[in-house]
Amino acid sequence: MPTNLPPEYFDIEKQYRAAQTTEEKIALLEELMSVVPQHKGTDKLRADLRKRLSKLRSASQTRRSFGKRESAFHIDRQGAGQVVVIGPTNVGKSALVAALTNAKPEVADYPYTTWRPIPGMMPVADVQIQLIDTPALQAEFAQPELMHLIRRADLILLVVDLQAYPIQQLEDAVAILEQYRIVARHLKDRHGEHKRLTFVPCLVLVNKNDDESTDEDCAVFRELFGDDWPLFPVSAATGRNLEHLKRAVFERLEIIRVYSKPPGEEADLSVPFVLKQGSTVEEFARKVHHDFLEQLKWARVWGSGVHEGQVVAREHVLQDGDIVELRI
Ligand SMILES: Nc1nc2c(ncn2[C@@H]2O[C@H](COP(=O)(O)OP(=O)(O)OP(=O)(O)O)[C@@H](O)[C@H]2O)c(=O)[nH]1
Ligand SMILES: [Mg+2]
């Protein structure tokens, strides 16, 4: 056993040994691999972890193909991005997911109502974004699979309750995430490189800001945390600020919508292709059809930063809303 393993390795290994399900073990092994430093002295250990992981993965695959139980925390990505809604109990996570998506998670005034993640689709502009309601974050009972889901998300919506103890709630939630080496991406600069951290974009939703009567509390909260966190006062109950939130989620995902125009035909504006910001004509071609990429001769673009129908190179960077005609 190499001697220079970080302390968190041993914490995770302990959880790994206690893990009950294959999915839990897979999540913890992936975590273990992410904290092992990469150098000669850990070659053997990393090879061993990889071997165990691939064994477990194929075991889980086999079970899946036989239609056996699959982890509730395994949620396939759908739409333009996967966004997790997390936070302490009773803050209104489920109420928000119910208000923003087609999902119908149970909403109740007693704690720990939600016990498994529930996905729903949120329409924004002309795309659909996947929001996942989750069980409450608890310091004394953190679920590795939940942490794994959070780590892989494109965006975290961390919900606190303005009418309860939002300050404590935010601080506690951030501490739990950090314990699992998950850090809000905008705070990256504050963390040294020595630890293996996962940086995920994060917005804080200050829920239950139902009407003007709580605006002052909200202002106090902003005074305290507004410099460090992007804050979004919202109300699942009255719908306050939810439209604004949808737009903000879209923007934080850093995606663009690109429309395809077949040669000699009108552009199809009903369904956009969704790409990462900074994507090129080449990446768009790959998304439209795998074969297009090799055969692509030139492309024309209608949109911002170009003349209407301008001929562009493969490396041309596309903008949100561009219409592209691919010529092969
Ligand atoms: N006034 C007010 N109440 C809300 C709002 N959102 C949720 N609630 C209430 O807060 C309680 C908890 O809501 P849930 O959506 O179940 O909370 P949760 O965060 O999903 O809770 P758990 O699943 O138990 O972790 C319910 O009684 C909701 O009706 C809101 O915007 N304003
Ligand atoms: Mg809930």
Side-chain angles (χ1 to χ4, degrees):
M1 177 68 59
T3 48
N4 55 354
L5 290 171
E8 61 263 32
Y9 179 89
F10 300 97
D11 296 342
I12 306 167
E13 203 195 27
K14 211 155 98 196
Q15 291 174 39
Y16 171 73
R17 273 185 268 126
Q20 301 286 333
T21 67
T22 308
E23 280 69 26
E24 223 180 310
K25 283 185 187 161
I26 290 177
L28 286 162
L29 266 184
E30 285 178 350
E31 250 198 84
L32 274 177
M33 295 195 26
S34 79
V35 297
V36 175
Q38 298 198 13
H39 55 71
K40 205 94 199 91
T42 61
D43 276 356
K44 214 167 145 312
L45 173 64
R46 282 182 292 132
D48 176 54
L49 291 174
R50 269 199 304 274
K51 207 159 86 193
R52 272 195 267 172
L53 185 60
S54 92
K55 234 187 206 162
L56 282 177
R57 278 205 184 121
S58 64
S60 120
Q61 210 68 44
T62 319
R63 277 196 305 141
R64 225 171 271 168
S65 58
F66 282 113
K68 292 263 173 58
R69 193 180 75 89
E70 196 177 309
S71 164
F73 287 82
H74 178 91
I75 294 178
D76 287 330
R77 275 165 190 274
Q78 275 186 10
Q82 190 173 67
V83 178
V84 286
V85 181
I86 65 167
T89 188
N90 256 337
V91 293
K93 301 180 294 299
S94 301
L96 279 164
V97 171
L100 292 163
T101 74
N102 59 344
K104 307 255 175 299
E106 191 183 346
V107 174
D109 59 4
Y110 49 82
Y112 307 113
T113 310
T114 306
W115 56 274
R116 68 179 174 94
I118 298 172
M121 298 307 289
M122 172 174 85
V124 188
D126 48 2
V127 298
Q128 299 269 342
I129 293 170
Q130 184 179 46
L131 293 197
I132 304 178
D133 183 21
T134 62
L137 283 179
Q138 303 172 62
E140 65 283 10
F141 176 63
Q143 295 159 288
E145 288 186 275
L146 172 59
M147 294 304 164
H148 192 55
L149 182 68
I150 298 171
R151 196 172 287 127
R152 293 191 333 178
D154 298 315
L155 175 68
I156 294 172
L157 298 180
L158 172 52
V159 187
V160 296
D161 180 348
L162 185 61
Q163 299 185 16
Y165 306 97
I167 297 171
Q168 190 69 44
Q169 288 176 342
L170 179 57
E171 286 174 347
D172 288 352
V174 170
I176 296 173
L177 292 177
E178 275 190 18
Q179 199 184 324
Y180 283 82
R181 296 175 315 289
I182 302 168
V183 174
R185 200 182 61 186
H186 68 277
L187 300 177
K188 195 171 184 173
D189 293 347
R190 297 191 191 171
H191 292 266
E193 283 298 315
H194 60 288
K195 265 190 178 178
R196 295 272 187 128
L197 301 171
T198 306
F199 298 97
V200 187
C202 182
L203 292 180
V204 174
L205 307 190
V206 188
N207 192 33
K208 308 199 187 181
N209 186 28
D210 298 341
D211 51 42
E212 294 78 36
S213 67
T214 44
D215 276 351
E216 208 175 312
D217 294 340
C218 208
V220 173
F221 190 73
R222 188 178 289 285
E223 189 78 11
L224 287 169
F225 290 103
D227 287 343
D228 283 348
W229 293 92
L231 300 180
F232 260 85
V234 289
S235 167
T238 64
R240 215 167 165 223
N241 219 14
L242 290 187
E243 283 309 313
H244 185 194
L245 170 66
K246 285 186 193 178
R247 195 68 215 177
V249 168
F250 176 86
E251 278 160 18
R252 292 283 159 152
L253 287 175
E254 297 171 357
I255 50 181
I256 56 166
R257 296 157 302 165
V258 179
Y259 303 86
S260 162
K261 178 188 172 318
E265 289 177 39
E266 289 291 301
D268 178 5
L269 297 179
S270 60
V271 193
F273 288 85
V274 175
L275 297 163
K276 282 266 146 223
Q277 264 173 23
S279 293
T280 60
V281 166
E282 206 163 69
E283 277 146 337
F284 173 68
R286 187 184 295 133
K287 193 119 190 178
V288 174
H289 196 289
H290 198 73
D291 297 342
F292 276 24
L293 184 61
E294 277 186 11
Q295 299 164 12
L296 182 66
K297 293 213 178 67
W298 49 277
R300 295 208 291 164
V301 176
W302 288 257
S304 49
V306 289
H307 306 300
E308 293 292 282
Q310 185 178 326
V311 174
V312 296
R314 282 167 163 252
E315 301 75 32
H316 176 76
V317 174
L318 295 167
Q319 307 291 328
D320 185 39
D322 278 357
I323 297 171
V324 180
E325 179 183 304
L326 297 172
R327 284 300 182 111
I328 56 171

